[in-house]
């Protein structure tokens, strides 16, 4: 693993798949300001590399991808430093959300608070069979903020309210039923489940996936009519890459 900085390790394979590992963040992979900055810098460093087909976001510990934000650091904050702290976590989530290629969240163990916000910013969430999820912030006197705003879009307003206002945890089967995660791995099979998703992504046109991710991100914020009209230009733009011509013809040739 190549270390981009003390908190961000990179493994890259010959297919253009990158595993970005959050490092030196404790047993539960807790994100302090330093960890948050390091991981964000990693995503920003990789974002211009068009050879990257997919990124797997993982924790160094098998107990969590991100267990949550650093409570010890937060306990010392005042209003100004609190806004600075949460702005850094916001910027990490946005770096993930705006990364050009698909980002897969590899989710063993606990995924709480800021960790669930980062996971929500990923494109695909693959959970271990015994993973647990929650938004415990109100129990320690703070609201769930920033990319917790994505949760109603993923699981609906009622379930999002329940998670954020009761601070109760849910297990992986419940998270799957709610739409919070996309798939659950068999016991001991988390890496295999992630690889299954990777292979599915690699079978798609890389430029088409980048355009699709861009569209999906904009659809989250635009009214329906604007979303539909935006899509027309993006559809035409895809033909500038040469990818549709090549892949469509390949499909036709296989059908003969």
């Amino acid at each position: 693993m190549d270390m981009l900085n003390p908190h961000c390790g990179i493994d890259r394979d010959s297919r253009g798949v990158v595993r970005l590992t959050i490092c030196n963040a404790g047993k539960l992979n807790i994100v302090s300001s330093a960890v948050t900055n390091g991981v964000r810098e990693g995503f920003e460093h990789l974002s211009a590399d068009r050879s990257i087909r997919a990124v797997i976001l993982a924790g160094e510990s098998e107990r969590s991808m991100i267990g949550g934000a650093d409570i010890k650091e937060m306990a010392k904050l005042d209003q100004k430093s609190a806004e600075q702290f949460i702005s850094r976590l916001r910027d990490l989530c946005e770096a993930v959300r705006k990364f050009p290629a698909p980002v897969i969240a590899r989710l063993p163990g606990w995924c709480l608070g800021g960790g669930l916000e980062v996971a929500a910013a990923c494109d695909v969430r693959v959970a271990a069979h015994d993973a647990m999820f929650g938004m415990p912030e109100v129990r320690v006197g703070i609201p769930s903020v920033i990319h917790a705003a994505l949760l109603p879009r993923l699981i609906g307003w009622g379930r999002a309210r329940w998670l954020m206002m009761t601070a109760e945890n849910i297990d992986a089967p419940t998270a799957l039923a709610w739409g919070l995660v996309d798939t659950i791995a068999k016991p001991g099979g988390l890496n295999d489940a992630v690889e299954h998703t990777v292979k599915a992504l690699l079978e798609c046109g890389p430029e088409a996936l980048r355009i699709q991710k861009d569209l999906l991100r904009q659809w989250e914020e635009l009214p329906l009519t604007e979303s539909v009209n935006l899509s027309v230009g993006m559809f035409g733009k895809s033909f500038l890459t040469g990818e549709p011509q090549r892949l469509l013809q390949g499909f036709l040739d296989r059908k003969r």
Side-chain angles (χ1 to χ4, degrees), residues 54-70:
V55 172
I56 302 164
L57 180 58
E60 193 173 32
S61 166
E62 281 299 302
R63 294 178 65 184
S64 177
M65 182 187 83
I66 297 174
D70 190 341

Side-chain angles (χ1 to χ4, degrees), residues 11-19 51 54 56 195 198 202:
D11 290 289
R12 185 192 305 248
D13 69 21
S14 60
R15 304 173 297 173
V17 178
V18 170
R19 180 169 170 138
S51 69
I56 302 164
E195 178 61 18
V198 167
L202 293 178

Side-chain angles (χ1 to χ4, degrees), residues 50-223:
R50 297 193 67 82
S51 69
I52 294 175
R53 298 286 305 274
V55 172
I56 302 164
L57 180 58
E60 193 173 32
S61 166
E62 281 299 302
R63 294 178 65 184
S64 177
M65 182 187 83
I66 297 174
D70 190 341
I71 292 177
K72 291 181 180 178
E73 182 177 353
M74 286 193 290
K76 301 175 183 177
L77 300 176
D78 57 22
Q79 180 179 359
K80 183 176 180 180
S81 59
E83 291 177 359
Q84 293 169 341
F85 177 91
I86 204 64
S87 293
R88 285 188 282 270
L89 186 55
R90 175 202 62 196
D91 293 346
L92 168 57
C93 291
E94 280 299 287
V96 173
R97 185 169 166 263
K98 293 182 178 178
F99 192 82
V103 179
I104 303 166
R106 180 186 180 278
L107 300 169
W110 293 94
C111 184
L112 302 173
L116 187 49
E117 290 159 13
V118 175
C122 295
D123 301 292
V124 181
R125 286 159 291 280
V126 181
H129 74 286
D130 56 353
M132 296 291 293
F133 303 86
M135 298 296 290
E137 286 89 341
V138 292
R139 286 190 179 168
V140 292
I142 55 177
S144 298
V145 292
I146 58 168
H147 289 68
L150 292 171
L151 295 180
R153 294 161 169 81
L154 287 171
I155 63 176
W157 282 101
R159 287 165 173 167
R161 284 191 184 96
W162 190 89
L163 271 182
M164 287 184 264
M165 298 184 75
T166 69
E168 291 287 315
N169 298 327
I170 60 172
D171 59 16
T174 303
L176 180 65
W178 286 12
L180 187 59
V181 300
D182 300 295
T183 188
I184 299 175
K186 296 177 181 178
L190 183 55
N191 286 334
D192 289 340
V194 170
E195 178 61 18
H196 178 82
T197 298
V198 167
K199 287 180 177 177
L201 294 171
L202 293 178
E203 290 177 357
C204 303
E207 296 303 322
L209 276 178
R210 285 170 174 259
I211 293 171
Q212 189 68 77
K213 177 168 179 174
D214 188 17
L215 269 174
L216 285 163
R217 188 175 65 244
Q218 295 189 64
W219 286 348
E220 287 175 342
E221 300 178 3
L222 292 174

Side-chain angles (χ1 to χ4, degrees), residues 219-236:
W219 286 348
E220 287 175 342
E221 300 178 3
L222 292 174
L224 178 59
T225 300
E226 290 181 43
S227 297
V228 170
N229 291 337
L230 171 70
S231 303
V232 173
M234 298 290 258
F235 183 80

